Amino acid sequence: MPTTRRDFLTYGAALGAGAITPILAAGPADARAHALKLPRDPFTLGVAAGDPTPDGFVLWTRLAVDPLAGDGLGGMPDRRIPVSWQIARDERFRQIVRRGVVVTHRDLGHAVHVEADGLQPGREYFYRFAAGSHLSRVGRAVTAPRRDAMPASLAMSFVSCAQYEHGFFTAYRRLAEDRPDLVLHLGDYQYEYTANAYVAPGGNVRHHDGPETVTLENYRQRHAQYKLDADLQDAHAATAWAVVFDDHEVDNNWAADIPERPAETPGFLERRRAAFRAYYENMPLRRGSVPRGTNMQLYRRLHWGQLATFHLLDTRQFRDDQGCGDGYRADCPAAVDPARSITGGAQEEWLIDGFNQSRARWDVIGQQVFFAQRDSNSGPVKTVSMDAWDGYAASRDRITQGWVDAGVRNPVVLTGDVHAHWASELKLDYDDPTTTSVGTELVCSSITSGGNGTDSASTAHPWLGWNPHLKFQNNLRGYVNTTITPDDLSADFRCLDEVKTAGAPAFTRATFVIEDRVPTLNQTYDRPPAVKDLRRRSDQDISRETVEQETSRP
């Protein structure tokens, strides 16, 4: 159940000023928040903000004095706990502009969601929480511009795929240091496996606590383990996020009500119910995304003035099952069946309607799995991933045709999932490389999933040779920073040489620019790989490694 409006109490007097010290009580409810006795710091899981609008954003925290407690309740007492919050114009909270108290309790997993409003558009704010004598760290968030404004620029980063066991979350720390205005997380925020069930090449460097996540208690504990990571906490505190899940937040390659291994996974809908509830409890999402039974409303839009509209998709909950047994398959009839969909009919209609209504300079589609055609076979028989849009080609064609028919000015697809950086141009007919490109796709690598990875020349991957619309690939870990202006969108593919050792620096491996009204990729920077990172590998070896990286699971 969500926190209700009656749980929010606001006040007219200042809560305190000056240095960052425990917030002073300003009313009876606030006084109760600070009279509470807690044995230890309850803000062990950090803070977050999400889904910014012109007048506000969501504030999030979750109380836990014993975060990894097996019952998933974080060692918190079984009582209603008042938590006060503040938003200020400055980091030292001398200019507090909004404040209140929200009540959380066991049924909410002791999560706190505040849908703050009444703020000014296009401004930087700082926020914090207090419970008892304890004060949270300070977080930062930026409100969106007015809907009729054309801002000069937006610094937006996107990330995906953070397997805790495969490496350290240094990429999140480097992302925080880059200080974007907005972060999109495109899925696989956490992984469901028990310790050492999913092993990176060369072995894992950390281990999951608890069993494979199946119950609400399991998922709450696993989210807590991830949220304890200091690098992830820094990334959340640095700016507001907009999040969508992919598969590992529930179960590998699940599709609608079908798990990866149906015969081995009885009661999957109950597992999905638990996973959705824990996901909401641990993310800065609005009330509209509160799960209703086994369903969750995740697809939605964010607007950044007239500069950009973000269409955030859900490609798991409504899709048809993967065709031909999943994996990479050749000549699979299901992949081209026009009756099949990766979004479901209602979401597809919503998306195309959004294209028709949009007046944004850039329409950015944030989603989970590879959008462009990616044939892994150099011969005449096309072999593609059944889990990606290649496994739902008619669905992809309808959506691509939808933005073309709507006259979308600059369509850009953002993708995660495949644990490598890619960049591609999008077509209505991929089998005819001479046709005009009608959009672009930017794919971010993983934060850690797959271990350290390897560097290579930007066009070294053999698939680029017979998929000429694919323009770039790199298998190091990292994230993507974009700068969006009225004239162009530039994308820096950020990489780390290693993730199995903490603290590696991040560097820009390549930069691509998409010009306004020109749906092609222009590479403006290319850092050659270090010689020590290169290995002599055949095209067959590289192809096999790519497929294994994307499909190898316990």
Side-chain angles (χ1 to χ4, degrees):
M1 293 290 293
T3 303
T4 63
R5 290 185 182 275
R6 73 179 63 182
D7 290 325
F8 289 78
L9 300 174
T10 56
Y11 305 94
L15 291 177
I20 298 178
T21 55
I23 305 168
L24 300 177
D30 203 28
R32 289 195 299 273
H34 303 291
L36 176 70
K37 301 295 184 184
L38 292 171
R40 294 184 298 281
D41 178 15
F43 297 110
T44 55
L45 305 181
V47 300
D51 282 19
T53 62
D55 71 340
F57 35 74
V58 180
L59 303 181
W60 173 92
T61 191
R62 180 178 160 218
L63 306 183
V65 296
D66 181 12
L68 299 181
D71 63 1
L73 294 173
M76 295 300 295
D78 186 10
R79 56 168 292 186
R80 294 172 67 83
I81 298 175
V83 180
S84 59
W85 55 271
Q86 293 178 324
I87 299 174
R89 291 196 180 98
D90 64 301
E91 267 185 292
R92 298 187 67 81
F93 286 78
R94 291 191 175 100
Q95 302 178 63
I96 296 169
V97 295
R98 296 287 285 164
R99 66 199 175 281
V101 174
V102 60
V103 176
T104 189
H105 48 83
R106 177 173 293 215
D107 289 347
L108 302 174
H110 295 103
V112 173
H113 292 80
V114 177
E115 295 188 20
D117 57 12
L119 304 178
Q120 295 182 4
R123 291 201 57 161
E124 178 183 64
Y125 289 95
F126 301 90
Y127 62 91
R128 63 184 180 182
F129 299 90
S133 60
H134 301 281
L135 189 66
S136 77
R137 70 178 297 167
V138 173
R140 168 187 174 269
V142 177
T143 53
R146 296 192 324 268
R147 285 292 300 275
D148 61 352
M150 177 60 81
S153 66
L154 164 64
M156 181 275 294
S157 303
F158 63 101
V159 297
S160 71
C161 303
Q163 218 285 20
Y164 182 88
E165 300 177 293
H166 286 189
F168 295 95
F169 289 168
T170 309
Y172 280 140
R173 181 173 295 275
R174 300 297 172 244
L175 174 68
E177 293 166 354
D178 292 342
R179 210 170 175 82
D181 300 319
L182 178 67
V183 170
L184 305 186
H185 198 294
L186 301 179
D188 294 347
Y189 183 95
Q190 60 94 35
Y191 281 67
E192 74 274 30
Y193 304 118
T194 191
N196 285 322
Y198 179 18
V199 180
N204 293 343
V205 297
R206 303 193 286 185
H207 301 294
H208 282 151
D209 283 354
E212 179 163 336
T213 52
V214 175
T215 68
L216 178 59
E217 293 78 13
N218 299 157
Y219 284 109
R220 283 172 168 171
Q221 182 190 49
R222 185 61 51 81
H223 276 284
Q225 183 175 18
Y226 278 61
K227 281 288 202 302
L228 281 170
D229 187 274
D231 296 333
L232 177 55
Q233 288 193 16
D234 280 358
H236 272 300
T239 195
W241 289 31
V243 300
V244 289
F245 52 59
D246 191 14
D247 54 337
H248 290 290
E249 290 86 350
V250 182
D251 176 45
N252 181 54
N253 281 20
W254 66 280
D257 59 354
I258 303 170
E260 179 186 24
R261 299 184 177 104
E264 302 172 23
T265 315
F268 176 70
L269 283 179
E270 286 306 306
R271 180 180 187 178
R272 195 177 90 171
R273 181 199 302 267
F276 284 3
R277 181 171 171 181
Y279 186 79
Y280 174 78
E281 289 174 354
N282 285 277
M283 295 295 162
L285 289 164
R286 294 185 180 274
R287 288 188 188 91
S289 293
V290 172
R292 298 178 183 274
T294 60
N295 302 313
M296 184 174 185
Q297 180 63 46
L298 194 66
Y299 65 84
R300 63 200 189 279
R301 288 190 184 88
L302 300 179
H303 302 278
W304 207 264
Q306 294 186 341
L307 181 64
T309 292
F310 295 93
H311 311 266
L312 302 176
L313 303 189
D314 175 352
T315 61
R316 288 290 164 191
Q317 196 173 175
F318 310 106
R319 67 158 69 193
D320 290 288
D321 194 15
Q322 293 91 342
C324 300
D326 208 351
Y328 275 74
R329 296 288 182 265
D331 287 342
C332 175
V336 295
D337 183 349
R340 286 165 42 82
S341 173
I342 195 172
T343 61
Q347 184 177 191
E348 182 177 306
E349 182 179 350
W350 167 88
L351 180 58
I352 293 174
D353 182 65
F355 293 153
N356 283 296
Q357 297 298 320
S358 178
R359 298 297 178 267
R361 185 65 53 91
W362 300 87
D363 279 88
V364 181
I365 303 149
Q367 56 90 50
Q368 295 77 10
V369 294
F370 215 98
F371 192 86
Q373 180 174 289
R374 215 170 33 133
D375 184 2
S376 65
N377 187 346
S378 61
V381 179
K382 192 181 301 181
T383 304
V384 296
S385 170
M386 295 297 100
D387 190 55
W389 288 79
D390 273 331
Y392 306 82
S395 187
R396 175 177 61 201
D397 291 347
R398 290 191 296 269
I399 287 171
T400 307
Q401 190 67 59
W403 78 56
V404 171
D405 291 345
V408 169
R409 182 163 174 163
N410 293 297
V412 179
V413 176
L414 306 182
T415 301
D417 183 62
V418 293
H419 308 172
H421 287 317
W422 295 79
S424 61
E425 295 178 5
L426 303 177
K427 306 277 188 178
L428 284 170
D429 182 2
Y430 291 97
D431 296 329
D432 183 357
T434 67
T435 58
T436 302
S437 296
V438 296
T440 52
E441 179 179 21
L442 306 172
V443 183
C444 66
S445 188
S446 62
I447 295 294
T448 56
S449 300
N452 285 338
T454 54
D455 201 358
S456 62
S458 293
T459 58
H461 198 288
W463 295 0
L464 275 62
W466 56 85
N467 294 275
H469 56 281
L470 303 180
K471 304 298 183 182
F472 169 73
Q473 191 269 354
N474 188 272
N475 196 38
L476 289 174
R477 306 297 153 244
Y479 54 97
V480 178
N481 286 342
T482 71
T483 301
I484 305 174
T485 75
D487 298 324
D488 59 41
L489 183 155
S490 65
D492 293 332
F493 287 84
R494 303 281 284 165
C495 292
L496 287 77
D497 282 325
E498 58 181 352
V499 295
K500 289 193 171 187
T501 301
F507 63 91
T508 297
R509 180 63 184 75
T511 299
F512 286 84
V513 174
I514 307 163
E515 297 177 358
D516 178 32
R517 295 188 186 276
V518 184
T520 57
L521 294 166
N522 302 297
Q523 188 165 5
T524 60
Y525 176 74
D526 185 10
R527 169 178 156 162
V531 174
K532 67 182 178 64
D533 292 331
L534 298 181
R535 294 180 288 150
R536 293 186 179 276
R537 296 175 295 159
S538 68
D539 287 354
Q540 292 79 6
D541 287 340
I542 296 172
S543 292
R544 185 183 64 255
E545 289 169 7
T546 300
V547 172
E548 288 177 351
Q549 177 171 281
E550 295 177 19
T551 59
S552 292
R553 298 292 186 266

